[in-house]
Amino acid sequence: MAADKNSDQEVESEEHEQGKEIEVDEEALPSAAAAVHEQIRQDGEKELERDSMALLWSAIAAGLSMGASLMAKGIFQVHLAGVPGGFLLENLGYTFGFVIVIMARQQLFTENTVTAVLPIMHKPTGSNFLLLFRLWGIVLAGNLTGTALGALAFNHMPIFDEATRAAFTHISEKVMANSPGEMFANAVISGWIIATMVWMFPSAGSAKIIVIIMMTWLVALGDLAHIVVGSVEVLYLVFNGTISWHEFLWPFALPTLAGNIIGGTFIFALISHAQIRNEISLKAKAEAAAKKKQAERQEKNAENSQQ
């Protein structure tokens, strides 16, 4: 994902100022957690610097792909009715959209509540915040556009039988049964879980798909609110006339969006950054002290050689 950089889209950081890459070598950093942090921060800088149109199209694709979660869950619900353990398998369908989006490297808003935030926490300048809000705005708009197109297709294209359509409605109405406060609380936990999943990726290796399934299945089992998957479900009700656009915004979209951001950014990302900030600061101070000591030693040697 090469960035189309210009002076307005370059993240401000010490590494850019010094013309070097972010250090992600575990042996050169104070701890394994610091290496994970720096890997995610490096990924975050790349995302913040991406071209706007590339971000938008990737985000629209992600919104469309998230329709796979509602589709799989609805189909499973129809065919697993009355089967022991059917609830567990039905909610496994929720993971399908996440697997597609993440493995295809499409832009998902809730991933960016932690990935793109770490560079800003590292250097919270005005231009970095503008880059973050630009990224969030484009990706959220693209995700919602994609989910709307998916929900519209599910409603009006002759794809599914009546039983599956009824399952889509049942799943979506279950989301809307929550109050705004419940939406918000559920979304905080959902945002935390998705951020935890992102934090696990650098260490996951070939098990990445297992991590995606495990963490997003947990979101489904807990009936937690997610702004992108939930938008497919709730917009399905909007387009079939069950609810209004006003009801999409409240009680669903606004409380869910706020909860996802708080869970992923203000809780998880802040704590994750705090745990390594002191380590990296101490390492930087130690390196500065070592360089100063080495310079003093060289200066002293130079004076001795002149005598």
Side-chain angles (χ1 to χ4, degrees):
M1 295 187 296
D4 180 13
K5 296 182 184 180
N6 57 49
S7 58
D8 296 325
Q9 283 182 205
E10 187 169 295
V11 177
E12 292 184 11
S13 67
E14 286 84 355
E15 289 81 9
H16 276 175
E17 291 169 2
Q18 296 167 11
K20 63 181 185 180
E21 296 291 327
I22 295 172
E23 178 61 68
V24 295
D25 182 6
E26 187 175 327
E27 293 182 1
L29 290 166
S31 66
V36 170
H37 178 280
E38 294 301 85
Q39 177 65 61
I40 295 174
R41 180 164 75 91
Q42 186 177 76
D43 292 342
E45 286 197 1
K46 291 176 182 176
E47 296 302 329
L48 287 167
E49 293 172 347
R50 283 191 73 188
D51 174 71
S52 297
M53 289 306 297
L55 284 172
L56 180 61
W57 285 113
S58 182
I60 291 172
L64 283 165
S65 297
M66 275 300 178
S69 290
L70 177 60
M71 181 171 70
K73 192 172 179 181
I75 293 170
F76 282 9
Q77 186 176 100
V78 171
H79 294 283
L80 293 170
V83 175
F87 170 78
L88 298 176
L89 293 175
E90 173 191 325
N91 281 286
L92 185 61
Y94 186 90
T95 70
F96 283 39
F98 284 96
V99 170
I100 295 169
V101 167
I102 296 170
M103 297 304 292
R105 300 302 297 255
Q106 296 167 351
Q107 286 287 338
L108 181 63
F109 178 79
T110 47
E111 271 194 275
N112 284 312
T113 58
V114 60
T115 305
V117 168
L118 290 186
I120 280 70
M121 291 183 176
H122 184 77
K123 193 157 188 178
T125 64
S127 62
N128 280 351
F129 272 107
L130 286 175
L131 285 175
L132 177 64
F133 295 144
R134 163 187 164 272
L135 174 69
W136 277 3
I138 292 171
V139 172
L140 182 60
N143 283 171
L144 294 181
T145 300
T147 58
L149 291 172
L152 198 61
F154 286 2
N155 262 294
H156 297 295
M157 293 183 69
I159 306 170
F160 306 107
D161 58 26
E162 287 305 314
T164 304
R165 290 176 185 274
F168 291 164
T169 300
H170 177 262
I171 292 166
S172 303
E173 286 177 340
K174 191 175 181 181
V175 176
M176 292 302 292
N178 292 304
S179 67
E182 290 169 334
M183 293 281 194
F184 175 78
N186 288 340
V188 169
I189 305 302
S190 173
W192 172 277
I193 292 172
I194 298 301
T196 303
M197 176 186 71
V198 173
W199 193 264
M200 294 167 70
F201 285 163
S203 305
S206 59
K208 185 175 181 178
I209 192 168
I210 297 174
V211 171
I212 298 168
I213 292 170
M214 179 179 70
M215 301 303 283
T216 56
W217 196 8
L218 182 59
V219 172
L221 291 171
D223 282 329
L224 303 178
H226 187 275
I227 184 60
V228 184
V229 183
S231 291
V232 182
E233 297 164 341
V234 178
L235 287 173
Y236 184 82
L237 296 180
V238 172
F239 291 134
N240 69 18
T242 303
I243 64 171
S244 66
W245 279 100
H246 177 269
E247 289 173 288
F248 167 76
L249 292 173
W250 191 271
F252 169 70
L254 296 178
T256 301
L257 178 61
N260 283 166
I261 291 173
I262 288 173
T265 300
F266 295 106
I267 297 178
F268 188 89
L270 277 171
I271 292 173
S272 300
H273 180 70
Q275 72 169 318
I276 61 89
R277 181 180 58 186
N278 193 52
E279 290 180 334
I280 292 179
S281 177
L282 288 173
K283 180 177 181 288
K285 288 177 182 178
E287 288 176 347
K291 287 179 181 178
K292 183 179 179 182
K293 196 170 183 178
Q294 184 179 16
E296 290 173 350
R297 190 182 298 115
Q298 290 173 346
E299 185 178 341
K300 188 174 181 180
N301 290 339
E303 290 175 355
N304 290 338
S305 64
Q306 291 173 358
Q307 292 176 354

